[in-house]
Amino acid sequence: MINESAVFWSRVLTELTLSFHIIYATIGVGVPLMIMIAQWVGYKNNDEHYILLARRIARGFVITVAVGVVTGTAIGLQLSLLWPNFMQLAGQVIALPLFMETFAFFFEAIFLGIYLYTWDRFESQKKHMLLLIPVAIGASMSAVFITIVNAFMNAPQGFDIVNGQIVNIQPVLAMFNPAMPTKVAHVLTTAYMTAAFVLASIAAYRLIRGSDHVYHKKSLYLMMKLGLVFSIATAVVGDFSGKYLAEYQPEKLAAAEWHFETEKGATLILFGVLDDGEVKYSINIPWGLSILAHNNPNAEVIGLDQFPEDERPPLYIHYLFNIMVFIGMFLALVALVFVVGKWRKWTFTNAKWFRWIIVMGGPLAIIAIETGWWLAEVGRQPWILRGIMRTAEGATTSDSVDLMLILFSIVYLVLGIGSVVVLRRMFRNNPIEQEIADRIAERGGDLQ
């Protein structure tokens, strides 16, 4: 028996938890690679500024990891409490990637602890830098395995259902489902891109506030270059994702693009509003959707008319898709202008107004991550396990979920405010100017 109230509050609580967790999870996946690259650049160029950059980022990273562990644990708890029917059906299949995700996290955490503890204990920076390789690998693999679980929910395979029970389970086949390659690649590239723009945002803000130190300028330049590289990679992967949806989840693509009728030479619709089923005030790109879906301007694209109304995703995901794409394009453009501007010595790249645009890049990247995940999850509706189990069928029937929502909301509020306060105090009490002065005193000369 389905309890509609329990289903609603379960979805709200799950969305809240994932929306909060994805911020720390994205930082947790992307930042280790940024730390490794910064320290590698410092070692290669014998530049202490980049090594200090790696060191300071690593300190702040520990705080975000701690919060990510708490929220990640909450997700695991809520899977069992809020979605017991889903876990009863699919739990045996997703157990392997969930276990591997935990293993990858501990692999990352062990080497991160060793890396932090052994600062200044290695005569060779190269040997110390090598500790970051398993940290970055562990962080990325943690994202890979948990994303595989989500991919399985979109393209379930590797089992048979007999009398309502899953049998003949093939965990490896289930993990390597059709949705896995594009979803994993998209999660990784967007995490790296977001981490780069967040760190660039911090550096630009410090420059605006008057800390015109070469350390912040080097940090900004490095992170904007990395942001440009990974934003381009994200765009490429996004194109593959569109082609995956056209073949395997056409209803999701049709809802996201407001493509109501199956046709050849389909138009790509950007923004707009719906008025009695008619799209108004939109930006239309002729043949754009056919090109996105099949690389052929005359290709046929399946519309929502091919699916029953109760199997169509909510149409508001169209706006989520547009926001995600336009933010990504904007960030790529800003990074390109900055990098080319530095190369061509355009003075406006040092202007206060342009640095404020870069500062906006950090929050905008987080918004793009959020809308991307909402698109991924809402776009699968009404299914929790596509084609097999509806979301309402997988939910709990408890009447206490609304109380759980209040309690978890308080926890997330405390964690969010607490992490910001701790990070601010950590860096305010240990300014970069003082740390550079200490390093100069240790070295007996200027830093490069």
Side-chain angles (χ1 to χ4, degrees):
M1 183 177 178
I2 295 175
N3 184 333
E4 295 293 342
S5 175
V7 173
F8 173 78
W9 291 116
S10 294
R11 292 187 64 183
V12 171
L13 178 53
T14 303
E15 181 177 13
L16 174 66
T17 302
L18 287 173
S19 298
F20 186 74
H21 174 72
I22 197 63
I23 298 173
Y24 295 89
T26 299
I27 292 172
V29 173
V31 165
L33 183 62
M34 304 301 113
I35 298 172
M36 185 174 72
I37 292 174
Q39 189 153 345
W40 177 77
V41 172
Y43 165 76
K44 181 182 178 182
N45 298 327
N46 192 27
D47 192 326
E48 284 282 338
H49 287 122
Y50 290 107
I51 295 174
L52 279 176
L53 175 62
R55 186 172 191 167
R56 289 173 67 83
I57 296 174
R59 290 185 191 137
F61 176 62
V62 173
I63 306 302
T64 61
V65 168
V67 178
V69 169
V70 176
T71 54
T73 303
I75 291 174
L77 177 65
Q78 290 174 18
L79 276 175
S80 298
L81 293 179
L82 302 181
W83 309 102
N85 298 330
F86 165 72
M87 290 300 293
Q88 183 179 4
L89 180 67
Q92 302 173 71
V93 184
I94 64 175
L96 178 59
L98 286 177
F99 168 78
M100 295 300 294
E101 190 272 338
T102 303
F103 176 81
F105 170 75
F106 280 113
F107 182 76
E108 171 198 359
I110 289 170
F111 281 95
L112 177 62
I114 298 172
Y115 171 79
L116 294 170
Y117 180 73
T118 54
W119 269 110
D120 299 326
R121 296 176 186 270
F122 282 95
E123 293 183 4
S124 170
Q125 284 287 348
K126 181 179 180 180
K127 293 180 180 178
H128 186 242
M129 180 184 65
L130 292 176
L131 291 170
L132 286 170
I133 296 177
V135 175
I137 292 175
S140 295
M141 292 309 296
S142 180
V144 167
F145 290 120
I146 202 65
T147 305
I148 284 175
V149 174
N150 183 269
F152 169 77
M153 296 166 70
N154 286 272
Q157 67 174 31
F159 60 90
D160 296 320
I161 296 182
V162 178
N163 297 326
Q165 299 294 320
I166 286 185
V167 297
N168 302 326
I169 298 172
Q170 302 177 63
V172 176
L173 182 60
M175 290 173 62
F176 289 91
N177 57 75
M180 187 274 287
T182 53
K183 276 194 168 291
V184 166
H186 200 261
V187 165
L188 291 179
T189 54
T190 53
Y192 302 147
M193 181 192 79
T194 300
F197 282 117
V198 167
L199 294 172
S201 176
I202 295 171
Y205 180 75
R206 293 305 304 156
L207 289 169
I208 291 172
R209 296 284 296 191
S211 182
D212 195 28
H213 200 285
V214 66
Y215 164 88
H216 294 300
K217 293 179 179 178
K218 289 180 178 180
S219 172
L220 177 60
Y221 188 47
L222 175 63
M223 294 305 160
M224 289 299 282
K225 286 194 293 185
L226 293 173
L228 175 60
V229 170
F230 289 117
S231 60
I232 294 173
T234 297
V236 173
V237 174
D239 179 68
F240 285 115
S241 298
K243 291 169 176 53
Y244 160 79
L245 291 178
E247 183 173 356
Y248 293 98
Q249 289 183 272
E251 76 281 4
K252 184 175 181 178
L253 179 65
E257 301 296 347
W258 282 358
H259 182 58
F260 298 104
E261 296 183 2
T262 301
E263 63 180 352
K264 296 181 179 180
T267 299
L268 181 65
I269 297 175
L270 303 176
F271 296 105
V273 295
L274 283 175
D275 185 7
D276 292 330
E278 181 182 354
V279 181
K280 295 183 177 180
Y281 315 115
S282 62
I283 301 173
N284 299 329
I285 303 177
W287 310 291
L289 185 55
S290 290
I291 295 173
L292 173 67
H294 302 290
N295 276 342
N296 182 349
N298 296 314
E300 183 178 79
V301 181
I302 297 174
L304 286 175
D305 59 330
Q306 300 297 309
F307 303 93
E309 288 192 15
D310 64 344
E311 293 184 9
R312 299 176 184 177
L315 294 179
Y316 71 82
I317 66 172
H318 172 75
Y319 295 114
L320 301 178
F321 174 79
N322 288 168
I323 292 171
M324 176 188 68
V325 170
F326 271 83
I327 289 178
M329 293 172 60
F330 174 76
L331 293 178
L333 178 62
V334 171
L336 178 63
V337 170
F338 178 85
V339 172
V340 173
K342 287 297 181 181
W343 175 53
R344 301 289 295 177
K345 295 182 169 50
W346 295 340
T347 56
F348 73 83
T349 57
N350 296 323
K352 189 174 182 179
W353 65 267
F354 190 77
R355 285 176 175 168
W356 272 118
I357 293 176
I358 297 175
V359 171
M360 290 169 51
L364 284 175
I366 296 295
I367 292 173
I369 287 289
E370 293 283 12
T371 54
W373 268 106
W374 294 340
L375 170 64
E377 295 303 290
V378 178
R380 191 180 61 248
Q381 300 307 312
W383 306 102
I384 190 171
L385 195 60
R386 183 177 180 268
I388 296 175
M389 175 179 281
R390 292 177 180 264
T391 301
E393 297 170 344
T396 181
T397 57
S398 171
D399 292 322
S400 303
V401 182
D402 51 351
L403 177 60
M404 289 179 59
L405 174 64
I406 296 173
L407 296 176
F408 275 102
S409 297
I410 295 172
V411 171
Y412 300 150
L413 183 64
V414 172
L415 287 174
I417 295 175
S419 61
V420 171
V421 170
V422 171
L423 286 170
R424 282 177 58 86
R425 289 184 178 179
M426 176 186 294
F427 292 105
R428 180 182 295 173
N429 296 336
N430 187 29
I432 183 60
E433 292 79 7
Q434 182 60 49
E435 192 158 357
I436 289 176
D438 293 340
R439 298 293 288 181
I440 290 175
E442 292 176 10
R443 290 169 60 93
D446 290 340
L447 299 185
Q448 185 174 336

